[in-house]
Amino acid sequence: MSTIIILVFQTGVYAQETMAINHKGTQVSVRNTIVTSAPIAPSDPLQNDIWFDTVAEVTKIYNGTVWLTINLDALSKKEDSVNKSTDTNLADATNTKFPTELAVKTYVDTKFTASVDDDITAVSFDGANLTVDEGATSFSTDLSSLKDSDWFQEASSNTATNINQNIYTMGNVGIGTNSPNAQLDIESTGVPLNIKPSTATPTGTQTGQIFMDDEGILYTYDGSRSKWLSVDRQNLTWARGIIATNQYLTAHNSLSSANGYRMLRDATITGITAQANALGSWSLLILKNNSSTSIAYITLSGEAGKHARNLNVDINEGDYIQAYCLGLLVSNPLGTIEFAWRK
């Protein structure tokens, strides 16, 4: 029987190389590779040690002299056209090529083709009905039963939805109070209401509308006379402290019998009164600018006094107004007119 002796010369130092006895009693060399994950290279590496560089995010192997990067060009190779699949149907059964972004997008787009009638083209709400237009079709539903609003659009029961709409409420409105006792109840320790003066006269349409002019005078629209008249009314009075017969009445104790009151602004005579100390029949004539033609009058027949408040006689800025007693032996006649400034 012959014996063969094999001599092995180790020419390199490998990672964690140790000697061991196998199950046949033979001494063998065992090499255990060390794998390290760190930001810097391990010290005293042995051949075939592996290091994952956490900074560069690459895997390296030690060849006994230097650390070599494994598959350094893998990312760049992925971008080579030879490694790309441009199959937009993704029909190729391959696990070796990367699908391009365009190939994937094209494939996905073909799987989600929407009908032209699936897109919502318009949505509208009129305060009661919600309408949705979807291509060639549309649907509408009545939501009026769901509304909870105190303010509604003018002349309807539709909920107000826009700040430019004319709105109304049927209850009292409180400003500065949560228990209003009037249709508009303003409670304030400061300025409760501010009406901005206007240089232009608005177009009046309803009795009760108000505005303030640039002189600070408050006007209200008089629907019966179809004009703006000042809220404040004023009186002019003439009298005679003796028996009068067909003569002027004096203005504010003036010694001139033909004197009158000069108007500061355009005005409208709205009322007239006449009074004497005894029953009689006479007429109070209102004249202007020393004319003999009356612009307003009131006649008494066997009466001591009489009045009327339905006059609508315009007089202008600069006119001066006079009063005349037309009658015989009228005892201490007194005449008054009421007027308002006019816009």
Side-chain angles (χ1 to χ4, degrees):
M1 179 175 180
S2 300
T3 301
I4 301 175
I5 299 175
I6 302 174
L7 298 177
V8 179
F9 296 93
Q10 180 69 39
T11 59
V13 179
Y14 294 90
Q16 299 297 309
E17 183 175 22
T18 60
M19 301 304 293
I21 305 297
N22 66 12
H23 67 285
K24 293 182 179 182
T26 304
Q27 187 179 19
V28 295
S29 176
V30 178
R31 300 169 186 167
N32 294 321
T33 299
I34 297 297
V35 179
T36 303
S37 177
I40 59 175
S43 60
D44 301 325
L46 299 178
Q47 187 174 345
N48 294 332
D49 274 356
I50 296 175
W51 165 44
F52 177 71
D53 186 343
T54 58
V55 175
E57 296 185 342
V58 293
T59 302
K60 300 179 180 181
I61 187 168
Y62 191 69
N63 68 354
T65 304
V66 295
W67 290 96
L68 300 177
T69 301
I70 300 174
N71 293 334
L72 180 61
D73 60 347
L75 184 61
S76 61
K77 285 182 177 179
K78 179 178 76 70
E79 298 303 322
D80 290 345
S81 59
V82 69
N83 296 319
K84 290 183 178 180
S85 172
T86 58
D87 174 22
T88 58
N89 295 321
L90 300 188
D92 293 341
T94 177
N95 287 323
T96 61
K97 291 188 176 183
F98 298 99
T100 64
E101 181 180 352
L102 178 60
V104 174
K105 181 181 184 304
T106 304
Y107 175 79
V108 172
D109 286 347
T110 59
K111 299 301 180 182
F112 294 95
T113 303
S115 169
V116 294
D117 197 41
D118 287 340
D119 295 332
I120 295 177
T121 57
V123 177
S124 61
F125 182 63
D126 63 5
N129 299 297
L130 175 65
T131 302
V132 178
D133 296 328
E134 185 181 9
T137 60
S138 66
F139 71 88
S140 179
T141 183
D142 185 359
L143 302 180
S144 59
S145 61
L146 303 178
K147 66 186 177 184
D148 181 16
S149 175
D150 297 326
W151 295 93
F152 302 94
Q153 298 178 36
E154 179 182 22
S156 77
S157 60
N158 295 331
T159 300
T161 58
N162 191 295
I163 62 173
N164 295 322
Q165 293 173 332
N166 294 332
I167 60 175
Y168 74 94
T169 186
M170 299 305 294
N172 292 345
V173 176
I175 300 177
T177 175
N178 59 7
S179 56
N181 296 312
Q183 286 184 302
L184 179 60
D185 188 342
I186 303 176
E187 298 184 17
S188 172
T189 57
V191 178
L193 183 65
N194 182 24
I195 300 177
K196 185 177 180 180
S198 174
T199 58
T201 302
T203 300
T205 58
Q206 299 289 331
T207 296
Q209 294 174 330
I210 61 174
F211 92 99
M212 181 178 289
D213 74 352
D214 55 351
E215 292 185 287
I217 299 176
L218 192 63
Y219 290 83
T220 182
Y221 188 75
D222 188 327
S224 64
R225 295 179 174 89
S226 300
K227 62 189 68 174
W228 290 96
L229 297 178
S230 62
V231 174
D232 182 35
R233 301 293 172 96
Q234 301 186 47
N235 295 330
L236 298 178
T237 300
W238 299 263
R240 275 284 180 180
I242 57 174
I243 302 298
T245 297
N246 297 329
Q247 60 189 128
Y248 284 98
L249 304 182
T250 59
H252 199 67
N253 296 322
S254 171
L255 297 178
S256 172
S257 60
N259 207 348
Y261 295 96
R262 187 176 183 88
M263 305 307 299
L264 289 172
R265 305 174 184 87
D266 293 346
T268 295
I269 299 173
T270 57
I272 187 171
T273 69
Q275 188 70 34
N277 279 353
L279 301 178
S281 297
W282 61 286
S283 294
L284 172 66
L285 308 181
I286 305 299
L287 313 172
K288 73 174 183 178
N289 303 333
N290 214 29
S291 171
S292 60
T293 303
S294 65
I295 58 173
Y297 67 92
I298 189 169
T299 298
L300 291 75
S301 299
E303 303 165 283
K306 193 173 184 179
H307 67 274
R309 57 174 183 268
N310 59 349
L311 274 66
N312 183 23
V313 179
D314 291 342
I315 49 181
N316 300 319
E317 178 181 345
D319 287 343
Y320 64 94
I321 311 304
Q322 304 156 289
Y324 188 85
C325 173
L326 180 62
L328 302 176
L329 303 175
V330 181
S331 177
N332 299 296
L334 178 72
T336 301
I337 62 169
E338 176 193 74
F339 72 92
W341 303 124
R342 182 183 80 252
K343 282 289 187 180

